[in-house]
Every structure is written in structure tokens, then in C-alpha cells.
Amino acid sequence: MLLTCTQHVMIKVSSNSLSVGKFAHLVVLPTGVESAAERLVNSSQREGGRDEEIVVQFQDVAVGKTAEKKFKIKNTSAVKTEIQLVRQNSSVTPEVFTFVLNNKNLQPDDLVTLSVKFTPMIINEVCIEYFHLHDRSGGSKTTIKCVGTCKGLCVSFASDTIQFGQLSCGKTSTKSLEIINSSDCEAHYQFALDSSESVFKIDQRCGTLQPRSSKKLICSFQATQPINYYKKLACVIHNQEPLFVTLLGTCHSDAVKPAILEARHVDWYNSLTYRGLSWYSPEQIDAMEKEGNVCLDGDGIPTRQEDHQHTAMEEYFHDGYYSHLAFAVPHVSMNVRDIDFGRRIQLDSIMQKSITLTNHTKDKITCVWMGDTSHVFHVTPNSCDIPPLKSTSFRVTFKPTAPDQFYGAELECYAFYKCLTEYWQLEREYISPPWCLPLGTTGHTFSQQSETFLPKLELSSQKLQFPAVSLGESSFTSLLLRNTGATPIQYDFSNDNSGVFLMKPYRGIVEEGQQQVFLLHMSPTKAGRCEKVLQLRLNDDNRNTQKVVLVGYAEEAAVKLDNDGFLFFRPTCLNTFSTQQYGVRNTCRVPLRFEWMMSSDDAKLLTVSPQSGTIAPNEHQMHKWSFKPKEESRTLMKPVLVVTTTRGRLLSKSYLVPAEGKGTLGSLRAAESSVDCHNILAGCMETKNIDVFNDSDCDLHYELHVDSDKVLLQKCRKILRARTIQTIEATVQPTTCGTFTVAISYQLLSSADDTAVYIGEKRHLCYVVVSAVFPTLVATDVSCHGSASGRNKMQLWNLLNLSRFNSLMMKPLPLSSTSQKTTESMMASRPQVDMSFGAAPVGSEDCIINLTIANTGTISTNWYLKVEIDACVAIHHNC
């Protein structure tokens, strides 16, 4: 094409570009240097090609505290990607695991730090959640399993019994009580005691214990009534079950000296309670023993029966008043346990309310109230006898001393058998401890026109989450209220009319700078979510109202099965095992006990590990199933999974899991029925590859056998998957010349490990045909030049002794000579041939002999000719 200077042409160029598409791949790397025993971040590859799973384990974290762990994510691919972290649907509420990821976009070979935080909210609970970590393209996927345990407090007493002994009226006895906090977080405690009204007093009725510390409390006993005193005092602790300490004391006057009450008397009374004899007074029991109606041992203690095991929280709540449940019918009951006088405007007027005490025993009792008419709250009459199975009314008086004040007190009444005032008339020292009946009282003197104090307080939480329970089980939690103001606070919680939620105490006074620990009880009546909003009314003013939300769950046994509840096994060779991982997920909020059950016929074909155990809430647990068919057919088995709640009514639920498996006969074949190994040097080794095919639908475990030591196999026991090919290395090592045929056979195994057993007889696989030869060299022609040119071939043949040379070269070499040795060592093992070159005058022409050597064998041969030097030739004849 010819172009002028004024012409233009457009040239279109096209090209095809080639590129390689790649998926991003993310790898999770633990950080920090940890030993194998201390490593808390573990990685495991699931069977069956499942996603990689990372386990992040948090050990015992205190409630309300936050623990953090970090690990790195690396983009090992050559493309940039974006990280996505998705939470799996979970029954765990609230969400206690949170992730912090600073940068979601990763360049190739970049690293980013991922931190996970665990903030438990419920004590003694195991929390499990699953998260899916993957890139935006979907190239890689990792499951992160977070496991955390919330530990509670560990507060205890150095001693659970304080005996003050005998004391005169008006005197004071002092003892110490050590309270110990063995946990790693601070503990808030409070004794259910009004030191201003009780005969027992504690200097620090409420307070805070620092982690890993202890505190000695001063307990005192001061009484004015000459009777025995016994009180099982509860110490309420935030985020822990209550503790109990037994307080014992005896007061004497000049005229009345009751027997000294000791701890053994309380044990004796408890033994009577277990036998149902505590309804009788010691005087009646003494008479029953004389009549032979009751059998006591030498110490006057009846045969003790096993008592019902109950927790400290149940003992604190289930008193028959705050809860409709009671472990025993009370011997003396009070129709009310709390009286609110409300507002009283006129200080000179008298405000009274009545209460009723009922004697449920078989003998007369005496009731004595502590305090006198000088107190703001007092009871009249101060003491009274109540006949058996009768009731008596008392008047409670509220007499405030100042206007615009809040008042509150807990009065105490001690009831005991009347006969104990004359205990010396009994033949045995039968002493029954008194019953202590507390009565809470509140009131205030603010007028309707004046405003009450503005409350300043702090609540530990305004939404309380109860531990999930199964039906028939109770759950407990606690609430802490701090009075941060300079004036007292009167609190009044509304009641739950349904009876699902209970609170103790629900009404009272918190002095300035003090705190109050509340215990709450949940006993659901039906499965599902339970929620209640409690109204906290402060200082008797509707304008000072706060809400506390209570949330709990009552669960029934429920699980979710993998593969929609079906279990499939791949075709399996008869009498061999095939395994399958099957997942079970606990979808409820309480731990479940599971057990796999099956018929006797199915048990011959199926095994599962574990067969029984416990699944934590929200845990996805893998169970390993094994199928061992006995006949060549398709089999439908019907194992049943039974899950049961671990506490409460032990409600159970069954799940039928159809399992299908097929038994089949498998066999192996070689690619060639006969494997030829020609022209192998005898004494040497040669490797041959044999391709083995498994054309059946099942995996085969097998062991190879050979009937000769001329063929060796690298590994005898193997496994060959269904519809696959495997290459076996066979080493051929003949020791003599000739043609040999070696048979290779196989035998099926139940498994590939050392415990496997043989299945059936040996089966032929293939033959290996070995042709072993030796190298052969012969001299076929000889000629000469120079000074020996006049000699003919026959003369040269005889002079050089070539007939002997040929006969020696045709003989087989020793086996040791065919191994990998040096040439010199091989020559030393061969016999020598004497060759004569005749004689020639000195200075004559050189004698040149041409020797033709032929390889008459079937393999290539390396040869080496060694001639001794002249100096080594001995002259035997003279010239």
C-alpha cells in the first residue's frame, strides 16, 4: 500500500489477553507464645471435607467482667479481599461474645488482628457461640467456636456456728466471725438482721469484700429475757447463694435459769424433725419413750433418716410465706411477715395493726417479743402462751418521734415449748431450740403537702436475666441497690401476682451510704419466655418510680439434627466398617442429657460414639457412627435419639433418625494380568509400578501377599477408595538366572489398622514374570600387526589362550559381584587368564594385536580389562 503525505489511514489492532482467576484464602493464626498445654486457640480440620474450625476457649471469667483474646488473620492469596464475620443463629441471649476488627480489607499477604471479647452475665453458665469467617468471594470459610465459662463468687465463713453460752440479763458477750472471699472479684454481702431490735448484733451488717481477702466481724449477744435464743442467720451475697450462720445463746436471771443451749441440741432437734417428732414437746417425747412408743439411742437421738437435699437459695426462699413452697410445715406461723404503716401525720395519735400467731405443735408454747414500748415499733402483749393448735393475736404499734422521717425495723419473736421452763423435771436433758419469727415494719411521718427526700441510688442492673431452667425447676438471681445520697431511702417493689417471680425482701429502709442485696426467684409454670416489669416505688412517692425488668426462660428438651434428621452411609463392603460424622445441636438454653437407642437387630449393624452424654446449650456436637453390613442388600435402620433435661421434671423428647446403608461385595483388579520384568540382571533390584483398580462402590481395606521372595512390596496394607486407582511399587530382586513367575494376591480386611481381621480367602491379583540374566562377553576374532604379523589367527588364538578366556566369560558372576562395588573389587573376584605374546628382538617393531569382543547376551555390559605391568612378570627360562 502506497501512501502520500496528505493521506491518512486508520489501523485497527486487536489483542486477546489471558488471565487467571483466583479465590482469596484466609488463614487464622494464633498470637502470643504459648505452650502446648496452655494454648487456648486451637485449630482442627473436620472430617468429611468440612470447614476448618477454630476454638477460642475462655476459662472462668467473673460475672460482669470482660476477657479478651486476639488472633491474626492472613490473606495468603495473591488477590485482595474483604473479611466478613457472620454470627450463627443462636439461642444464647444476651450476646456475650463480641468481635472487634479494625480493618476488613486485606491486601495480598497482609495481616489483621481480630479480637474477641467475652462478657458473661449469668454465673455458673457455659456459653457457646459460633461465627463464620469468610471472604467476600466465598473462597474460604472458617468456623470460629467461642466457649466461655462464667464463674461466681466463693465467699464462706471460717465457722458456721457461734455459741455465746450463758449470759446474765443485760450483759453482753462478744465473738468474732471471719468472712472470706476466695474469688478474684469483689463481693457485696448483707446480713438479714436488724441489730437495733435483735438480741444478736453485728458491727458491719453489710459491706464489700475485696478479691482474695477476708474480714473479721464482731458479733455480740445481749438479752433481757431469761430464755434460750437460737437464730439461723442468713448472709445474702450478690451473685452467690446465701450463707447461713447459727447463733446460740442463753440468758439467765436471778429467778429463771434455763438450760444452756448448745449446738448438739440443735442436731437433736433436727433428728426429731426428720422423724416427724418435733411437733411434740420434750416432755411429751420423754413420756412416749417411757411408754415405748418411740425408740431413742443412748444420747436420746432417734434413728436419723436421710433429709431432702436442697440448696441454700431454696432454704432461704421456701419458707411458706415468701414462697408457696415449704420444705416443712412451720411449727409456729405468722399471718404476715411485713407491715407497712404508711403515712402518719399526727405524732400524738396511736397507730396499731394486728397480727396472728398460730401454734401448730402438740403442746403449749410461749411467745416472747424482743424490745419494749420505748421503741418506735413494739408489740403488745410482750409475751403470751398459746395452747396447742390455737392462735393468738398481737398488736403492733407505730410510735414515731419526729416528723418528716422514714422508719423501719425488723422485730423478733422467740417461741418455745412451755415445758422447757421446768426442764429439770425431765429424766433426760431434752432441750428444743426456740423458733425465731421476724416481722418487718415500715412507716414515715411526711405530710401530704411536703415532699419526701429525693432518692439518690444506684442499681446493679435494671434488666435482670435469670438462668434458663427446665419446667419444674427454679432459678435465682440477685440485685444490688446502693444508697449514694445523704438521706435514707424507703423502697417498695411491686409483687408479681402470677407467682412466677418472687423477691426477698421487697420492702424496707436503706440508710444513707448503705446498700441492700435482693434475691429474686423464678419458678415458671409453662415453657417459653417469662418477663415481668417490677415497679420500684421510692420514698412513698409515685414520682420516684423506677422499673426493673425480669426476664427468664423455661425450656423443653429440643435439638436440631444434621441433614434434616437423616443419616446416610456410603456403600460398604461386607464385614467392614464405614464411618460417618453426624451433628446434633442443642437449640434450648439448658444442658441436655442424650442417649442413642436402637433395636437389637440394628445394634448388630450400627455403633455410635459417644452413645450417651451431655450437650451444652447451643453446642453443636459431632457423633461418630459406624456401619458394618452383614449381607449384600440395602438396609434401613431406625436409631432413636432421646434427649432429657438434666434438672427439674426431667422432660424427655425422642427423635427418630432413619439411617440407610448398603452392603456390597468389592474386589480389586490389576491393570495388567501379567506384569513382565524382562532381562533383569541377577542379584540386582528393579522397581515396577502396578496399577490396581477398585471398580466397586465401596472402599476396600486390603493386604497384599506374594508367594516368592524375588518380589517385594513397599507397603502391604492399604485402603483403596471406591472407583479409584492406586499405584503399587513392586521391587524385583532375582538371585539366579532364568524365568520366574510370581503370583501377587490380596485379602480384604475389616480395617486398615493393626487390629484388623481378615475377611474371606485370598484372591488373585496378577502375575509378575521375571526374566533374570547375566552379562556375557566372548572373543570372536583376533589379528596382529607389527613384529607378530607373520603369525596366523590360530597361533594368536592359542598364544592368547582365548578359548579359556571365552569359557570364563560365559560363566555367571558371583552375586556379590553384581552389587554396587568398585571395579577393582569386582576384578579381584574374577579368575585370571594367562596370555602369551611370544618373543621379539630388542628394538624390533611393536607388536599390535586387535581383539574383537562381542556381547552375546540380552543386556548391555560394562567391561574392564586389566593387564599386569611387565615388572610383575617373572622370567622362568633363559634366552
Side-chain angles (χ1 to χ4, degrees):
M1 182 178 181
L2 179 63
L3 296 179
T4 63
C5 59
T6 59
Q7 290 179 328
H8 297 82
V9 67
M10 180 178 292
I11 301 176
K12 183 178 182 181
V13 180
S14 62
S15 64
N16 294 327
S17 60
L18 298 178
S19 62
V20 179
K22 290 183 176 294
F23 283 109
H25 183 67
L26 303 177
V27 176
V28 180
L29 304 174
T31 59
V33 179
E34 300 171 336
S35 64
E38 298 174 344
R39 189 175 297 277
L40 300 179
V41 181
N42 301 319
S43 175
S44 62
Q45 188 73 25
R46 298 185 180 180
E47 296 183 5
R50 293 176 179 264
D51 301 329
E52 185 183 7
E53 183 178 274
I54 304 296
V55 180
V56 183
Q57 180 75 46
F58 290 90
Q59 301 289 349
D60 295 341
V61 180
V63 60
K65 303 296 182 180
T66 299
E68 183 179 11
K69 290 190 177 298
K70 296 181 179 181
F71 46 91
K72 292 185 178 296
I73 302 175
K74 183 177 182 179
N75 180 12
T76 59
S77 63
V79 295
K80 64 179 181 180
T81 185
E82 180 181 349
I83 299 176
Q84 293 185 348
L85 191 64
V86 181
R87 183 190 302 268
Q88 184 179 348
N89 292 333
S90 169
S91 59
V92 178
T93 54
E95 297 175 353
V96 294
F97 296 100
T98 56
F99 280 85
V100 178
L101 185 62
N102 296 329
N103 183 19
K104 294 185 177 181
N105 297 314
L106 278 182
Q107 298 295 327
D109 293 329
D110 270 2
L111 285 171
V112 66
T113 300
L114 177 65
S115 64
V116 55
K117 296 181 180 180
F118 174 52
T119 307
M121 305 301 296
I122 302 175
I123 60 174
N124 300 327
E125 186 178 59
V126 178
C127 301
I128 300 177
E129 281 196 75
Y130 296 88
F131 298 84
H132 297 306
L133 176 69
H134 58 87
D135 62 281
R136 189 173 184 180
S137 62
S140 62
K141 183 177 180 181
T142 302
T143 299
I144 301 177
K145 178 182 179 181
C146 299
V147 182
T149 304
C150 178
K151 67 176 180 180
L153 297 176
C154 184
V155 180
S156 60
F157 290 134
S159 175
D160 58 357
T161 302
I162 299 179
Q163 300 188 72
F164 290 96
Q166 179 267 329
L167 193 67
S168 299
C169 292
K171 300 295 183 178
T172 302
S173 176
T174 302
K175 299 281 185 178
S176 64
L177 174 63
E178 185 177 9
I179 183 171
I180 306 169
N181 180 14
S182 304
S183 58
D184 297 327
C185 51
E186 62 181 14
H188 305 278
Y189 71 91
Q190 180 164 14
F191 287 92
L193 179 70
D194 187 352
S195 297
S196 62
E197 298 291 341
S198 177
V199 295
F200 300 105
K201 307 179 188 302
I202 297 180
D203 61 341
Q204 301 180 51
R205 190 174 65 90
C206 61
T208 301
L209 281 173
Q210 296 302 318
R212 302 291 179 180
S213 65
S214 62
K215 181 186 294 186
K216 282 192 175 182
L217 308 177
I218 304 301
C219 303
S220 59
F221 170 59
Q222 182 181 25
T224 58
Q225 300 289 340
I227 60 174
N228 284 326
Y229 295 89
Y230 162 68
K231 186 178 182 67
K232 193 171 184 179
L233 179 61
C235 178
V236 184
I237 302 170
H238 186 42
N239 291 326
Q240 182 184 309
E241 289 194 346
L243 301 175
F244 290 92
V245 57
T246 300
L247 305 178
L248 301 170
T250 302
C251 182
H252 284 184
S253 66
D254 295 338
V256 181
K257 299 182 182 296
I260 299 177
L261 183 63
E262 299 178 356
R264 60 186 178 91
H265 299 135
V266 178
D267 295 335
W268 176 79
Y269 170 76
N270 291 334
S271 300
L272 293 179
T273 303
Y274 301 139
R275 286 285 303 274
L277 298 175
S278 59
W279 305 98
Y280 300 92
S281 66
E283 184 180 21
Q284 292 173 324
I285 292 177
D286 186 53
M288 293 168 64
E289 183 184 13
K290 293 178 181 178
E291 296 173 358
N293 295 330
V294 64
C295 182
L296 307 178
D297 62 11
D299 297 328
I301 299 177
T303 303
R304 180 167 178 170
Q305 297 178 347
E306 292 295 329
D307 60 315
H308 172 70
Q309 298 295 328
H310 51 270
T311 64
M313 192 74 79
E314 292 173 335
E315 182 179 357
Y316 179 76
F317 259 104
H318 297 167
D319 55 1
Y321 179 77
Y322 282 95
S323 171
H324 64 281
L325 300 176
F327 294 113
V329 178
H331 297 73
V332 183
S333 64
M334 189 183 303
N335 65 330
V336 294
R337 289 288 185 91
D338 184 87
I339 296 178
D340 182 21
F341 286 91
R343 187 189 308 272
R344 181 179 176 183
I345 302 176
Q346 299 178 357
L347 300 181
D348 54 351
S349 63
I350 298 177
M351 182 177 291
Q352 294 181 337
K353 291 190 177 183
S354 63
I355 59 173
T356 301
L357 269 64
T358 303
N359 178 11
H360 300 281
T361 67
K362 308 294 184 180
D363 203 355
K364 182 184 293 186
I365 64 171
T366 299
C367 298
V368 179
W369 288 90
M370 301 296 102
D372 52 34
T373 57
S374 63
H375 291 197
V376 175
F377 298 97
H378 63 272
V379 180
T380 54
N382 181 263
S383 63
C384 180
D385 295 339
I386 305 178
L389 305 178
K390 300 296 182 180
S391 300
T392 298
S393 295
F394 295 85
R395 294 186 301 275
V396 183
T397 303
F398 173 40
K399 188 176 65 175
T401 58
D404 298 334
Q405 294 293 330
F406 288 106
Y407 296 91
E410 184 179 76
L411 308 181
E412 289 182 348
C413 174
Y414 286 89
F416 53 90
Y417 286 111
K418 179 72 174 178
C419 64
L420 290 178
T421 58
E422 301 174 352
Y423 72 95
W424 57 85
Q425 298 180 3
L426 304 177
E427 293 187 2
R428 292 178 183 265
E429 190 182 357
Y430 293 149
I431 301 177
S432 176
W435 301 283
C436 180
L437 305 175
L439 175 64
T441 55
T442 55
H444 67 90
T445 56
F446 287 90
S447 63
Q448 295 181 353
Q449 290 77 18
S450 61
E451 294 184 358
T452 59
F453 301 136
L454 182 64
K456 294 182 179 180
L457 71 156
E458 292 180 356
L459 291 175
S460 59
S461 176
Q462 289 192 308
K463 184 176 182 180
L464 299 179
Q465 177 79 41
F466 284 82
V469 295
S470 56
L471 286 177
E473 186 187 7
S474 298
S475 181
F476 304 90
T477 189
S478 60
L479 176 67
L480 178 64
L481 185 151
R482 291 190 182 92
N483 184 357
T484 58
T487 57
I489 296 176
Q490 183 188 53
Y491 62 87
D492 186 1
F493 282 92
S494 60
N495 293 324
D496 180 17
N497 297 328
S498 65
V500 175
F501 295 99
L502 301 174
M503 173 177 278
K504 184 178 180 180
Y506 63 89
R507 182 186 296 129
I509 301 290
V510 181
E511 298 296 334
E512 56 272 15
Q514 299 297 314
Q515 65 186 19
Q516 177 68 47
V517 179
F518 305 90
L519 293 184
L520 295 97
H521 168 278
M522 181 189 72
S523 181
T525 57
K526 61 181 180 179
R529 178 186 173 95
C530 303
E531 184 173 349
K532 178 67 178 179
V533 178
L534 296 183
Q535 300 293 333
L536 172 57
R537 192 166 181 262
L538 301 171
N539 292 346
D540 198 21
D541 192 338
N542 293 330
R543 293 172 295 181
N544 299 326
T545 302
Q546 296 192 19
K547 295 181 180 180
V548 177
V549 181
L550 309 180
V551 179
Y553 294 89
E555 296 287 342
E556 294 179 323
V559 297
K560 183 179 180 181
L561 305 175
D562 283 358
N563 199 28
D564 297 328
F566 289 91
L567 178 60
F568 295 99
F569 293 93
R570 59 179 177 271
T572 307
C573 184
L574 298 185
N575 297 314
T576 64
F577 292 93
S578 64
T579 60
Q580 182 70 26
Q581 293 285 348
Y582 193 71
V584 179
R585 180 169 173 258
N586 182 1
T587 58
C588 59
R589 297 174 178 84
V590 295
L592 296 178
R593 185 181 295 108
F594 72 89
E595 182 178 5
W596 287 100
M597 306 180 69
M598 61 191 77
S599 64
S600 58
D601 293 337
D602 291 346
K604 298 176 182 178
L605 306 176
L606 286 177
T607 56
V608 60
S609 178
Q611 187 173 0
S612 60
T614 303
I615 309 179
N618 198 45
E619 181 182 9
H620 187 262
Q621 198 173 94
M622 302 303 296
H623 297 172
K624 184 178 181 180
W625 284 87
S626 298
F627 172 58
K628 184 178 181 180
K630 300 295 184 182
E631 57 185 16
E632 190 176 3
S633 63
R634 189 177 299 274
T635 307
L636 180 63
M637 297 148 288
K638 298 180 180 179
V640 176
L641 175 63
V642 180
V643 291
T644 310
T645 55
T646 58
R647 300 181 300 269
R649 297 179 187 173
L650 301 182
L651 301 176
S652 62
K653 191 172 183 180
S654 301
Y655 294 85
L656 176 63
V657 182
E660 184 177 335
K662 180 183 179 182
T664 182
L665 289 175
S667 61
L668 303 177
R669 69 175 179 87
E672 299 177 1
S673 60
S674 178
V675 180
D676 295 331
C677 299
H678 296 302
N679 301 327
I680 298 178
L681 180 62
C684 293
M685 294 183 297
E686 183 173 327
T687 301
K688 199 72 173 179
N689 291 332
I690 303 175
D691 293 334
V692 180
F693 291 87
N694 179 9
D695 296 329
S696 56
D697 295 331
C698 58
D699 298 344
L700 295 178
H701 304 274
Y702 66 96
E703 183 178 78
L704 296 176
H705 302 273
V706 292
D707 58 0
S708 174
D709 57 357
K710 295 180 177 61
V711 177
L712 302 177
L713 299 179
Q714 184 180 13
K715 184 177 180 182
C716 292
R717 292 194 173 186
K718 295 177 178 290
I719 179 174
L720 186 54
R721 301 297 181 185
R723 304 290 181 182
T724 58
I725 183 175
Q726 194 172 63
T727 300
I728 300 173
E729 288 188 359
T731 301
V732 181
Q733 186 178 0
T735 58
T736 59
C737 291
T739 301
F740 310 95
T741 302
V742 179
I744 298 179
S745 60
Y746 70 94
Q747 193 169 9
L748 297 180
L749 301 173
S750 59
S751 61
D753 52 21
D754 295 335
T755 61
V757 296
Y758 293 108
I759 301 173
E761 301 295 332
K762 293 182 180 178
R763 303 182 187 182
H764 174 72
L765 182 63
C766 65
Y767 292 105
V768 177
V769 180
V770 181
S771 178
V773 297
F774 287 104
T776 57
L777 294 176
V778 295
T780 60
D781 191 17
V782 62
S783 62
C784 64
H785 303 279
S787 62
S789 59
R791 296 178 181 178
N792 57 27
K793 292 183 181 292
M794 182 60 67
Q795 291 176 338
L796 291 175
W797 193 275
N798 293 330
L799 286 174
L800 296 179
N801 204 3
L802 294 180
S803 296
R804 175 173 170 76
F805 174 81
N806 287 341
S807 63
L808 292 176
M809 296 303 294
M810 293 296 293
K811 291 182 179 181
L813 289 170
L815 292 180
S816 59
S817 299
T818 59
S819 59
Q820 293 182 355
K821 294 184 178 180
T822 62
T823 304
E824 288 76 8
S825 62
M826 293 178 61
M827 292 299 299
S829 62
R830 298 288 285 177
Q832 296 183 356
V833 178
D834 294 332
M835 293 184 177
S836 176
F837 291 89
V842 177
S844 61
E845 187 180 0
D846 293 340
C847 179
I848 301 174
I849 298 175
N850 295 324
L851 180 64
T852 303
I853 299 176
N855 181 6
T856 61
T858 58
I859 59 174
S860 59
T861 303
N862 297 323
W863 61 274
Y864 177 76
L865 180 63
K866 181 178 181 182
V867 179
E868 297 290 345
I869 61 176
D870 294 341
C872 297
V873 177
I875 302 176
H876 300 287
H877 306 284
N878 295 326
C879 294

